[in-house]
Amino acid sequence: MSGAHFAFTDRWGGVSAAPYEELNLGGAVGDDPGAVRTNRELAAKALGLDPARVVWMNQVHGADVAVVDEPWGDRPVPEVDAVVTARRGLALAVLTADCVPVLLADPVAGVAAAAHAGRPGLVAGVVPAAVRAMVALGAEPGRIVARTGPAVCGWCYEVPETMRAEVAAVEPAAYAETRRGTPAVDVSAGVHAQLDRLGVRDRARSPVCTLESEDHFSYRRDRTTGRLAGYVWLD
Ligand SMILES: [Zn+2]
């Protein structure tokens, strides 16, 4: 059985200038494209990956999934929030700065997925959609290993009361309160509840809150900032 690999970046070790310092991996946040390209090369090399074999998405807070078996090359990068592959050695990447990066792999079937789950993606069901796409390629939920990365926590993600109610109506586990007792949403908790219902038991959640960590990009804290990446691949 070949191994599954999961990795989440922090903001250090790249070449971007403020306010994207240092390892901004997002190409649509206003940073110098040359710096982003260098950062993607640095991150890939640190992980032992060929930067040309990393598949990125054009994320739009939806629930569409793309099945890929090679890099996009000259084709347009599709507007999806999950990518799934049955190709070993092909790395899938997801960009975040508070949203939940979700990495999934069934090492036996050789099927992997990366998904971007913010509040809209949680409600739209992007993670269940990614799992269904994996199952269609031969994965079994009981064998899927799931890792979620640094994201804004339920104590920090304050929302209007009506918004919390809308999210909790779809996913009760996401209901949260800030430390001040105001309405909040815990997207990571919601994602893990969705995975649990699908039969994905081997799960781990990063303890890092992006908004509270000086080592991570946070959109809610800084607005104009970089993007972290999560990578998954099978060898
Ligand atoms: Zn927090």
Side-chain angles (χ1 to χ4, degrees):
M1 185 175 94
S2 299
H5 300 270
F6 307 90
F8 296 104
T9 62
D10 63 24
R11 71 182 296 164
W12 306 122
V15 301
S16 290
Y20 307 103
E21 76 277 23
E22 295 168 344
L23 191 68
N24 167 45
L25 297 163
V29 292
D31 193 6
D32 167 27
V36 176
R37 194 160 50 242
T38 299
N39 288 341
R40 288 182 174 188
E41 287 170 4
L42 289 169
K45 280 174 183 146
L47 298 171
L49 295 169
D50 175 354
R53 302 283 298 164
V54 178
V55 176
W56 302 88
M57 297 177 265
N58 189 358
Q59 300 166 191
V60 292
H61 288 285
D64 288 341
V65 182
V67 176
V68 291
D69 55 14
E70 57 184 321
W72 304 123
D74 292 332
R75 293 170 292 160
V77 177
E79 292 188 346
V80 296
D81 288 88
V83 277
V84 177
T85 192
R87 182 63 58 93
R88 294 182 187 274
L90 189 66
L92 308 176
V94 50
L95 294 165
T96 60
D98 291 339
C99 290
V100 181
V102 184
L103 306 179
L104 307 165
D106 177 342
V108 177
V111 179
H116 163 248
R119 178 180 45 78
L122 172 70
V123 171
V126 65
V127 173
V131 171
R132 284 193 296 272
M134 291 179 72
V135 169
L137 292 173
E140 291 182 11
R143 289 193 309 235
I144 292 176
V145 180
R147 298 289 181 262
T148 64
V152 63
C153 82
W155 286 316
C156 290
Y157 190 3
E158 185 174 35
V159 297
E161 177 78 60
T162 50
M163 188 177 284
R164 178 174 68 176
E166 285 165 15
V167 175
V170 175
E171 184 45 73
Y175 185 99
E177 253 182 20
T178 65
R179 294 182 181 91
R180 295 183 290 115
T182 57
V185 168
D186 187 336
V187 178
S188 291
V191 165
H192 279 266
Q194 290 180 330
L195 287 168
D196 193 60
R197 276 200 300 278
L198 290 162
V200 178
R201 304 280 184 248
D202 184 346
R203 305 188 311 270
R205 173 180 176 173
S206 166
V208 172
C209 170
T210 45
L211 192 144
E212 294 175 77
S213 168
E214 295 299 320
D215 297 324
H216 294 78
F217 298 118
S218 171
Y219 174 76
R220 282 179 77 89
R221 181 185 63 216
D222 297 329
R223 295 295 157 178
T224 302
T225 190
R227 293 294 180 273
L228 309 160
Y231 298 83
V232 61
W233 70 99
L234 290 152
D235 56 19

